[in-house]
Amino acid sequence: MIMNRRSLMTTALTLGAMKAFPGLSFAQARPLVFATFTGSWEEAHKAVLVPAFRKANADAAIVLDPMLSVDQIAKVNAAKANPPIDVMLHDPGPALVAIGQDLVEPYPVEKSASYKDLIAEAQEPMGPAPFFQVVGLTYNPEAVKTPPTSWADLWKPEFKGRVGITNLNSTLGTGWLVEIAKMRGGSEANVDPGFKALEELKPNLAAVAANPGALATLFQQGQIDISPGNFNAIQILKARGVPVEFVAPKEGAIAFKTTIHIVKNSPNRELAFKLIEAALTPEVQTTLMNPPYLIVPTNTKVTMGGEIARVLAKDTAELKQKFVFQDWKKINEQRSAWIERFNREIKI
């Protein structure tokens, strides 16, 4: 069996715990495994959330395993009795799938110190939402002299071979396709107009990225000049000196909450709870709201400020008024078929 670096590290930590405590089984002894997202999310959680968790749980071993939501669900489904993940992070569509497939446990709200302080929309009983995400237009201001104002700008002839998108395995990709479909008369139930628009976009496409983190890297490498993109992923690039900006299109930027869940049958339930509790605290959310991460908070004790207040919204009430929230229950009904169709038809 070939093991990657992360697998080797996980196994080594587990064997070390078993040696120290001979009565423990392999499953009980393994470190807490947190499946975060790739790219800027992994960076933010490694730099802020994990240290906050370790500060209160000094003896606890934790491993970040970054992957898309669909991959998290597949891994847990393959080993439900002894899941390889303890904490999952999900956007709205995958969260509904994980709950529907009985992969996560109800959150112990009665034990939580911060759950009651979250905005109402973030108080999800099967896993609270520590963060919002916002998707809009991202572009290189050195190459794009006139800032884009609409999703339709991606089809402009001057962007031939300079546009980047993600595949539909990501919430970014699927959510953006729905908005393109709406722009041409479609809806969450009908994205045929969106696929027609994608076909017309092919001359402008430079790359189809596997995930939002890979899409952000394309800006860093100078391979693309404009794309749909996550607000917080772009901010980390800006902090590194990469020329990139974010703008909300006139059709409305896409906003969705990101929920965090305790995996059913996890041998590390208590540590999983403590990690999530750390993510809900005003201290962690305030730190993640500031540069270079700029992740939108959901704890009402955190006042939005800086770039988030300037570019997105001064508070969550304004965010809910300004941005587009999609019907992911409806989207999920056909999403698998859309992913297959995208993989067949959208090749460059």
Side-chain angles (χ1 to χ4, degrees):
M1 181 178 69
I2 297 173
M3 299 185 75
N4 61 27
R5 185 168 175 266
R6 184 177 292 112
S7 298
L8 286 168
M9 180 171 65
T10 302
T11 303
L13 287 168
T14 302
L15 293 174
M18 291 175 70
K19 186 176 180 180
F21 304 98
L24 291 180
S25 69
F26 188 89
Q28 291 170 326
R30 71 162 172 77
L32 178 72
V33 179
F34 172 29
T36 183
F37 297 150
T38 59
S40 61
W41 288 92
E42 180 186 7
E43 291 186 37
H45 289 151
K46 184 184 294 183
V48 179
L49 178 54
V50 169
F53 166 77
R54 283 186 171 142
K55 185 176 180 181
N57 304 276
D59 296 330
I62 179 170
V63 173
L64 290 182
D65 197 0
M67 68 186 85
L68 291 170
S69 287
V70 291
D71 298 323
Q72 296 179 34
I73 289 169
K75 286 188 75 168
V76 173
N77 253 322
K80 288 184 179 180
N82 183 21
I85 295 169
D86 302 296
V87 179
M88 292 198 285
L89 193 69
H90 287 312
D91 297 330
L96 290 172
V97 173
I99 294 168
Q101 294 181 0
D102 196 29
L103 303 182
V104 297
E105 298 188 353
Y107 194 68
V109 174
E110 69 285 350
K111 292 170 54 180
S112 176
S114 298
Y115 186 90
K116 66 182 185 305
D117 297 325
L118 304 180
I119 61 171
E121 291 81 1
Q123 293 185 20
E124 293 285 354
M126 293 302 291
F131 322 108
F132 268 120
Q133 291 192 61
V134 178
V135 173
L137 285 160
T138 55
Y139 66 99
N140 177 349
E142 294 181 357
V144 181
K145 300 302 183 182
T146 302
T149 61
S150 167
W151 295 126
D153 288 346
L154 296 169
W155 280 259
K156 286 184 174 181
E158 58 259 41
F159 297 136
K160 184 176 181 179
R162 302 306 300 167
V163 173
I165 61 174
T166 63
N167 63 33
L168 301 197
N169 286 337
S170 70
T171 298
L172 166 60
T174 298
W176 176 71
L177 174 64
V178 168
E179 291 311 296
I180 295 308
K182 287 180 181 178
M183 196 170 65
R184 298 196 176 197
S187 67
E188 281 95 341
N190 173 25
V191 297
D192 284 343
F195 274 102
K196 183 178 179 183
L198 282 176
E199 190 66 31
E200 296 170 9
L201 185 64
K202 281 184 178 180
N204 283 14
L205 283 181
V208 177
N211 55 61
L215 184 68
T217 300
L218 293 174
F219 277 104
Q220 192 168 15
Q221 296 172 342
Q223 295 186 43
I224 62 174
D225 292 327
I226 189 168
S227 76
N230 287 88
F231 174 78
N232 59 295
I234 292 307
Q235 303 312 314
I236 287 184
L237 289 184
K238 284 182 67 175
R240 293 175 180 158
V242 178
V244 64
E245 295 290 347
F246 176 96
V247 65
K250 65 183 181 182
E251 295 85 6
I254 307 164
F256 48 88
K257 57 193 173 187
T258 299
T259 50
I260 190 166
H261 307 266
I262 300 173
V263 175
K264 191 170 185 178
N265 298 324
S266 161
N268 290 312
R269 288 181 183 85
E270 188 59 30
L271 286 178
F273 170 71
K274 289 178 178 179
L275 176 70
I276 295 173
E277 281 293 286
L280 302 182
T281 62
E283 294 77 17
V284 166
Q285 293 204 8
T286 297
T287 303
L288 289 175
M289 181 187 68
N290 292 321
Y293 308 111
L294 284 94
I295 296 174
V296 182
T298 59
N299 192 309
T300 57
K301 292 184 175 180
V302 179
T303 302
M304 288 191 192
E307 193 75 356
I308 286 178
R310 186 182 72 82
V311 177
L312 298 182
K314 66 179 184 295
D315 54 34
T316 50
E318 184 181 8
L319 184 136
K320 288 184 287 184
Q321 290 172 356
K322 288 173 62 175
F323 298 124
V324 175
F325 290 84
Q326 298 169 325
D327 184 349
W328 279 91
K329 185 176 181 181
K330 179 63 67 176
I331 290 170
N332 275 2
E333 292 174 4
Q334 301 182 73
R335 188 181 182 191
S336 295
W338 297 346
I339 291 172
E340 291 178 7
R341 181 178 174 184
F342 182 92
N343 292 341
R344 285 196 315 269
E345 297 181 6
I346 309 305
K347 298 176 181 177
I348 58 173

